[in-house]
Amino acid sequence: MTNPTWQQRVADYADRLAEINESIDLILDETRVGTINVKSEELKASQEALSAQVQNLQNMLAEREELLAADDAVGSGTTLRTRLISTRRIDDARLAKRLDEVGRQIEVTRERSVALFVCQYHLANLGQELIRLLSGSTGGDTYGHKIGKPDTTERGRGGGLFNEAA
């Protein structure tokens, strides 16, 4: 059996990266449903599965470095994509496009992860915030925002919108 070419190893890397990302997406969906239904045991299982997949994603970084440093790596550049594009071969350009697609998918997943974390963070404190609001307490607010004194510097960093809604 012959050894796979560098391009074949890069294609395999892209496929595995996409699979890990898809797994993370599915876990985020489960976590979102668990959050909606307030099922803490499901959330804990989802968080453990998510941690394992994030670790797999981190392990892929080492593999990318190995591919970049490989003796049989094609082209020149500091990324897999730039190396592939520099060869000016159509098959390499297609593979570079595949890497771009996977990169965009990972970015969307990252944004979903952050949004879910922010929502869970606020839901975790919802009971305390409701009690504070109903009792008229003047306790601290999310991100240190002062009640009744909108701070425009908070807007854009995430806290202002949630504080105004509260």
Side-chain angles (χ1 to χ4, degrees), residues 63-77:
E63 186 172 338
R64 183 189 68 197
E65 294 304 315
E66 289 174 13
L67 285 167
L68 286 169
D71 291 336
D72 61 339
V74 299
S76 61

Side-chain angles (χ1 to χ4, degrees), residues 123-161:
L123 284 174
N125 293 323
L126 182 63
Q128 292 174 341
E129 284 297 308
L130 286 175
I131 291 170
R132 186 188 60 75
L133 286 170
L134 293 173
S135 69
S137 173
T138 59
D141 202 25
T142 308
Y143 308 122
H145 186 71
K146 304 291 185 224
I147 297 173
K149 297 179 183 175
D151 183 359
T152 56
T153 61
E154 289 285 328
R155 198 174 295 255
R157 290 196 319 217
L161 178 62

Side-chain angles (χ1 to χ4, degrees), residues 117-127 129 142-143 158-159 162-163:
F117 170 79
V118 169
C119 289
Q120 284 184 336
Y121 174 82
H122 286 281
L123 284 174
N125 293 323
L126 182 63
E129 284 297 308
T142 308
Y143 308 122
F162 285 105
N163 293 334

Side-chain angles (χ1 to χ4, degrees), residues 77-160:
T78 58
T79 67
L80 297 174
R81 183 186 180 285
T82 56
R83 282 182 174 267
L84 288 163
I85 294 293
S86 71
T87 67
R88 300 188 184 269
R89 289 187 294 212
I90 192 74
D91 289 339
D92 290 347
R94 285 185 185 126
L95 184 51
K97 183 178 179 181
R98 171 79 172 122
L99 288 170
D100 285 342
E101 291 168 1
V102 171
R104 281 191 296 277
Q105 292 168 351
I106 290 172
E107 181 59 26
V108 168
T109 299
R110 185 193 66 78
E111 289 174 9
R112 286 186 64 214
S113 299
V114 171
L116 184 61
F117 170 79
V118 169
C119 289
Q120 284 184 336
Y121 174 82
H122 286 281
L123 284 174
N125 293 323
L126 182 63
Q128 292 174 341
E129 284 297 308
L130 286 175
I131 291 170
R132 186 188 60 75
L133 286 170
L134 293 173
S135 69
S137 173
T138 59
D141 202 25
T142 308
Y143 308 122
H145 186 71
K146 304 291 185 224
I147 297 173
K149 297 179 183 175
D151 183 359
T152 56
T153 61
E154 289 285 328
R155 198 174 295 255
R157 290 196 319 217

Side-chain angles (χ1 to χ4, degrees), residues 15-26:
D15 291 343
R16 285 184 287 120
L17 199 56
E19 287 174 16
I20 292 170
N21 188 65
E22 187 175 317
S23 294
I24 291 172
D25 261 348
L26 292 172

